[in-house]
Amino acid sequence: MLKRRGGMSALFATFISILGNPGVRVLLRLACKEVSCMYGNKERKESILYHTLSLLASDNVTCPIGVRFLSEIINGLIRTGVAIMGGDIKEVKRSLKDPALRRGVALVFRGIAHYGITVPQKLPAPFLIVWNFTNMCNLKCKHCYQRAEKPLPDELTLEEKLRIVDELDKAGVAAVALSGGEPTIHPHFLQIVKALSEREIYVAVATNGWKFADYDFLRRAKEAGLRYVEVSVDSANPKRHDWFRGVDGSWERAVKALENAVKLDMSHAMAVTITKFNLNEVKDILDLAESIGVRRVVFFNFIPVGRGVAITNLDLDPVEREKFLRKAYKEMKRRGLEIEVTAPQYSRVVLQLSGKREISPTHFYTGADPAIRALAQFIGGCGAGRIYAGIQPNGDLIPCVFMPIKVGNLRESRFIELWNNALLLRKLRNRDNLWGFCKVCPYRNICGGCRARAYSYFGDPLGPDPGCIYNMKYWNEILKAQEKEIEAI
């Protein structure tokens, strides 16, 4: 008997097994055309692919007969594929009622239409943009990748930000995470949250939690369209957290912000940058999360960039990182907490520890479903410049917020032109361009190494990630070079 699996994992398996067929790709390319359909009394101009998914979700959509005909063919293939993969088409339909998810799925369709099935998958626009909304900040964190403190003199105006929102919408970007600096203290924050949400883009925020300790302000942000809150906590000990964050009282407000997110029933997570500073606190931090009611904890890879360069000595060595990744997986299995790690090596560690039964597509849940293993290769680990990019406060487009290499500026060029044509982004989309063990690693399609760490340590985003146990020789070379520098002094 065919084992039933989740509808969305079956849908992803359908992408890989059926929709990459050359004949089907012709249909998908036809469906990339933008047309107008009526959603109730509102006209929306979207790709036929988007309208197709809306029709599958049984939304109140009225489309021209040609669009409906093509949609029926594509949705027929989806229904067939999900059934073959043992999935639940009702779950797919329920999930696709979320317009932001429809945007993401339509984006995958467009990627398959343009490029076929690639490993990892190439996309015509990123799933996610992390937008460093402002350089202003009310804390003084020791690891800040932006050296955030005061707003930059050339930060984007509100008018320019709204134009960028429009460009991201037209490109088909599925999600935008506002970061900083501290985005919540900027006067444009709620306006941009609302503008993104009105375009059915999934809106998230990475915050120190100071403003969201005010329940009413977080409620207003939720009403404006904010869907996900990620609050940074660096220690279970208030004094240690406050020292690391540079401002007394920051721990108390971060914890209060998470409590408010729980009360408001918002999707949320506790974000922890893991270093030697808090490596021995993992259990206590997870205990704290559970005591608050948090169900999701994200451990961020430390990247020595910005102010973080001054605390490079706190970076985990490859052995420490390997032990930590193993501990994170075991704690997740023991507690039932959703624990994620942004180090792309986590996918490989989960695969190894589970006897190849489970895997964790980077920044995604860990699962035993065979389709999730395919999804891990589909997503492909580190997504810098491939399924994800960053925007600086002045409009510079960068591959990753931890990799501040300007590939263009959105004041001077359209977003989609830079995404499709920037040389560095194109290089990052082909793992054959890597060097070191990352180029030949058998796990490169589910990991690929952290490109920001390669850039931080070697000045080359295509270099090896010295945080991986398989790149130990490069880590040792770094240590030797540091010793020589000290001797020279």
Side-chain angles (χ1 to χ4, degrees), residues 406-437:
K406 176 182 174 181
V407 299
N409 185 278
L410 299 182
R411 281 185 169 123
E412 302 162 1
S413 305
R414 292 175 61 243
F415 169 78
I416 200 64
E417 292 172 354
L418 292 175
W419 176 260
N420 288 328
N421 300 321
L423 181 60
L424 176 57
L425 302 187
R426 295 175 71 175
K427 286 183 177 179
L428 287 167
R429 293 165 195 163
N430 185 349
R431 296 268 160 89
D432 288 338
N433 291 324
L434 305 182
W435 57 273
F437 192 77

Side-chain angles (χ1 to χ4, degrees), residues 177-194:
L178 302 176
S179 188
E182 176 52 45
T184 63
I185 65 175
H186 196 282
H188 298 163
F189 173 67
L190 291 179
Q191 289 170 277
I192 297 302
V193 167
K194 185 177 181 182

